[in-house]
Amino acid sequence: MRYIPNSPDERAEMLRQIGVSSMENLFDSIPADLRLQRSLNVPTALSELELLKKFETTATRNPAAGRISFLGAGAYSHYIPTVVDSLISRSEFFTAYTPYQPEISQGTLQAIFEFQTLVCQLTGMDIANASMYDGSTAMAEAVLMAERVTRRSKVIASSAIHPEYFEVAHTYVQHAGIELAHSDYSPETGTTLADALTDLDDKTAALVVQSPNFFGCIEDVQALADKAHEVGALLIVVVTEAMSFGLLKSPGACGADIVVAEGQSFGVPLSFGGPYVGLFATREKYARQIPGRLVGEAYDGKGRRGFVLTLATREQHIRREKATSNICTNEGLIALAATIYLETMGPRGIEAVAKHCAQKAHYAARKIGAIEGFSLPFSAPFFNEFVVRAPGDANSLLKKLANEKGIDGGIALSRYDANRPNEFLVCATETNTREQIDALVDGIESLSH
Amino acid sequence: MITKVTTHLSPNERLIFDRSQPGRMGFSLPPLDVDEAPLDEIIPRDFQRDDGLAGMPEVTEVDVIRHFTRISTWNYSIDQGMYPLGSCTMKYNSRLNEKVARIGGFANLHPLASEDEAQGALEVIYELQQNLAEITGLPGISLQPAAGAHGEMTGIMIIRARIDARDGKEKSAQRRTMLIPDSAHGTNPASANLSGFTVKTIRSTSEGLTDLDHLRELCAHGDVAGLMLTNPNTLGLFEKNIRKICDIVHEAGGLVYMDGANMNALVGVARPGDMGVDVIHLNLHKTFSTPHGGGGPGSGPCCCTKELEPFLPVPRIVRSDSAAADSKSQIPNYRLDFNYAQSIGRVKAFYGNYGMMLRALAYILTHGRDGLREATEAAVLNARYIADALVSDYDKPFDGSPMHEVVFTDKRQARKGAHTLDIAKRLIDYGFHPMTIYFPLIVSGAMLIEPTESVGRQELDQFIEAMRAIAQEALENPELLLNAPHSTRIGRLDEATAARKPVLRWKPQTTESHSTACP
Amino acid sequence: MANVPDNLHYSKDHEWVRVENNVAVIGITDHAQEQLGDVVYVELPKPGESFSAHESFGSVESVKAVSEIFTPVSGEIAEVNQSLTDEPEKVNKDPYGDGWMIKVKMSAAGEVDSLLTAAEYEDFTKAEE
């Protein structure tokens, strides 16, 4: 087996040296009746050539991968500059371990320090951690943190949050003694209205909203923050399309107490849903309640500046059952990819990409909205995603668009809500050309008449 | 005699923010090709960002390349050499697996693409599930958890759900104790806490194994929901009484969870499902070689018995076959199935860390049934080889034959003033990453060593030589250890000050590094 | 060798008590701070909160460890050493003086009698080793 450096002869020699008669005997401490008496029923080994062929062939059964796409809803198609993959492929980064020994992990540690800084800058917050698994689990952890900080057990989350994020939060709180309540959104605007939040009271730990929300609508975060703070609750803001940070006022500037986001838009491939990266940022005063790893500045005996994992007493390996989270491994290499992406694009690049996303989405929205029988049901401003209401079943329209026009035109809302059969969510990014958008519009038009 | 490394030029590199110059640009974007609406008309002024993303670095592509290339050289990594880190299984991260994960048909696939158009992607998940079920002997499986701790949380929630369903809410409320060995990884009690359990610790015997009498005693209370254990345990020893342990817990009405971090000692040799274990998690970034990435991404599949299957997270990836047009063959059809009323729910958006699943499947298929067993044998052989060589110089607290990892203590060296931390730091000067230190907690001054199968004899011998030399230094010249490492670009950091006054981000006009010899 | 002043009372959880009128001044012992290492953070309660004897009132953290701290006597918190927020190292440098943590208005003055004397505490720590 070519990954095992010692040849069979060398291994035999090693066995002799330690006085063990055979490979079998290495497992003498396992009771005989527990040892497998047969080979594993898994395939026999494939050579590199065969293996690649197998996977390449399997990949051809994913026709959606190469198709013109307007899919969003928590995963976004953005252009990834070549340098990102090139740099994260350096073995010093991707085959390195968690930086517990700082003297030989300064590359990883400094990159995380830069990542933490960039997340603070984008979210408008004071401190950020080294990453969570993804946006959905980051939101769940934010809910748990709000309970710790306020010692209150009710959390109100807007129904305009991504349904899968909701589900994850429910799973996390089900045994934590936290009541997770839903609040409605306005069917006219598509946003969460502060005045309609009658359940907010002094037993509420946090109000959770997503902006832009699941329908693409931009929430009035400042108004929601004010409302939450009136009763001493925290405002948790969730962002699934991180590129929106390039154009929209930061949640921090609008009064958010905790900001969580999905960082996949920053240089991370779609990869059928993972690995992604959760961003988690909060105010300085909550530093000891934040979950996840933190990298801080430190100096050695000669006054040289370096970086080190710090405030570890919050974490599982020290505080065990009283830890702020059970998280250990997070998304290090993906956070690195996001860091490289953000530093390559820079502020002007992020702004430019965000502007392109917005302009293309609004161009698409104007044209689709003008098709007879089609409308845009929500009046709130949006960034790069919007809901379209079709005259008939959205699912079958989208299927036809895919099969006959080779375009993935959007995501049918009926996937998450059976009460919305005619609506679908469209997302446009800087990767969608005018030709593609026009083809989408023409396709919708021709297929519905 | 240090043979593995020599000191060499190491580039200095400050933070990217120190490279930043106004006007530098590293991106390229085609011109906007759609009709442009005035920005204020599409996004109200009040909602627009007005800080110009101040503070974000402005650098060119060359800056980015130089910056990250330079800082990467400050890292030790698996490609460079062995990491003897116990419990981490730092094995070779195959390049072939990286290539597979980057195949466009996978890398560019949106998770919400219709199932019909993602059959290839779903097939990979299904195939990996089948293989892991066979390897573990546990038929139920979810690949949704994103890391080991996540898989643990999933497994413990499944236990909770099962007991709630079996006993009803009222009686289940009497069963809130999770038993955890004193040698357990910190994620274990943290995960138990998330499921509403309180933790009780089980003692280990002088042999380092679970104390059966103490287990019986704790189970007699009638409030035990389950036991979490690792096998081989965190001392590298196989729990030979595992069947008995599972019986005791089952008889007391509880379930057994196994932390699968140490599967590298078992693949192809023994299966948790055959031992009576009810649910386990696996670490694809350990046993199945997916890269550690400096702290992730990982992947923590959760595997369970048929009895516990109904509680697994949703969606599940299932297969149904239909007859082909020629009626001679079957066309497999993979689906997302959400229809499990007793499921604990989702633990993550979408399906899990899919990119790591591709790599893990490639690992399994590259090894094949014989190679998988071969790897296990080689891993245990390497650990045993090291154990055998180091007993002359280091105190080995347990007599049992270690499996894939072995624990030593600093008892002999500490007499002269050098402790585990110092030994670990001195090992850096010899060109190795330190072993796992101060874990498990039940061994004072623990040094947990796991070479994995990916280390050749010459490097094992170099490691042994290094450890022997350090043992000698500890007796004759402990100063060398106390101030180690001496050859790195940065020495031991003042972690106390870092924790007292944490600086967790760069800020504009931050005071410069205090030293002249700044990186 | 850890310092164990004669004029104080001690608990088996390694806290010391100095009684000033009806107020118990409480901190952790020299032995405790030695075991912990450099203290980086002390979590303290607020004045006005009440605790029973042997209840945990906070925690003390070093870089690699965290320990709960338990009040040897029952009562209400009269005062808390706020300076420890910015200077937690006082616990290491002067555990019996500047490193004091809380002042408790004792609700059952007799409780100090069941605590250890300096000599008893010294024996206790020797036996623990």
Side-chain angles (χ1 to χ4, degrees), chain A residues 127 145 149 234 257 282-290:
Chain A
I127 54 172
M145 177 175 153
V149 164
L234 303 184
D257 299 291
T282 189
R283 299 284 171 212
E284 185 139 12
K285 60 183 170 180
Y286 301 129
R288 288 193 139 79
Q289 290 303 328
I290 195 174

Side-chain angles (χ1 to χ4, degrees), chain A residues 85-329:
Chain A
D85 197 46
S86 176
L87 287 167
I88 65 168
S89 298
R90 288 186 71 82
S91 58
E92 298 93 332
F93 283 132
F94 89 92
T95 77
Y97 182 58
T98 309
Y100 287 131
Q101 298 291 347
E103 298 88 341
I104 46 178
S105 319
Q106 286 298 301
T108 297
L109 288 163
Q110 178 165 323
I112 298 173
F113 189 79
E114 292 177 9
F115 172 78
Q116 288 171 187
T117 305
L118 291 164
V119 173
C120 288
Q121 290 169 333
L122 290 167
T123 58
M125 305 298 279
D126 306 326
I127 54 172
N129 71 17
S131 77
M132 313 295 295
Y133 306 136
D134 73 338
S136 72
T137 54
M139 176 176 131
E141 294 264 14
V143 167
L144 296 178
M145 177 175 153
E147 189 268 334
R148 279 196 299 279
V149 164
T150 62
R151 301 232 159 281
R152 299 177 183 180
S153 58
K154 186 168 79 171
V155 171
I156 298 179
S158 164
S159 304
I161 291 174
H162 196 303
E164 296 196 20
Y165 280 43
F166 246 136
E167 289 173 46
V168 173
H170 269 290
T171 305
Y172 269 69
V173 306
Q174 65 187 307
H175 305 305
I178 294 175
E179 181 207 329
L180 184 59
H182 293 213
S183 78
D184 289 325
Y185 58 89
S186 153
E188 282 87 43
T189 63
T191 55
T192 313
L193 296 182
D195 294 333
L197 293 167
T198 48
D199 281 351
L200 257 183
D201 60 20
D202 61 5
K203 298 204 175 40
T204 309
L207 170 63
V208 191
V209 294
Q210 178 181 328
S211 184
N213 67 27
F214 177 66
F215 306 115
C217 303
I218 302 168
E219 300 275 12
D220 185 347
V221 178
Q222 185 68 69
L224 295 163
D226 293 341
K227 190 82 185 181
H229 294 154
E230 264 171 39
V231 297
L234 303 184
L235 180 68
I236 299 172
V237 176
V238 181
V239 179
T240 58
E241 172 44 302
M243 203 56 76
S244 63
F245 288 128
L247 194 52
L248 301 183
K249 196 172 247 164
S250 74
C254 297
D257 299 291
I258 304 174
V259 180
V260 296
E262 174 50 67
Q264 177 268 325
S265 289
F266 295 148
V268 183
L270 288 167
S271 193
F272 204 51
Y276 289 170
V277 58
L279 314 182
F280 196 112
T282 189
R283 299 284 171 212
E284 185 139 12
K285 60 183 170 180
Y286 301 129
R288 288 193 139 79
Q289 290 303 328
I290 195 174
R293 293 189 176 131
L294 288 170
V295 168
E297 224 178 46
Y299 291 83
D300 76 354
K302 294 200 169 103
R304 291 176 292 203
R305 195 275 308 274
F307 301 96
V308 72
L309 289 174
T310 191
L311 298 188
T313 44
R314 297 160 303 117
E315 297 185 68
Q316 45 76 27
H317 56 294
I318 293 176
R319 222 179 261 262
R320 298 172 75 89
E321 63 264 26
K322 299 208 171 81
T324 52
S325 166
N326 74 338
I327 194 167
C328 185
T329 296

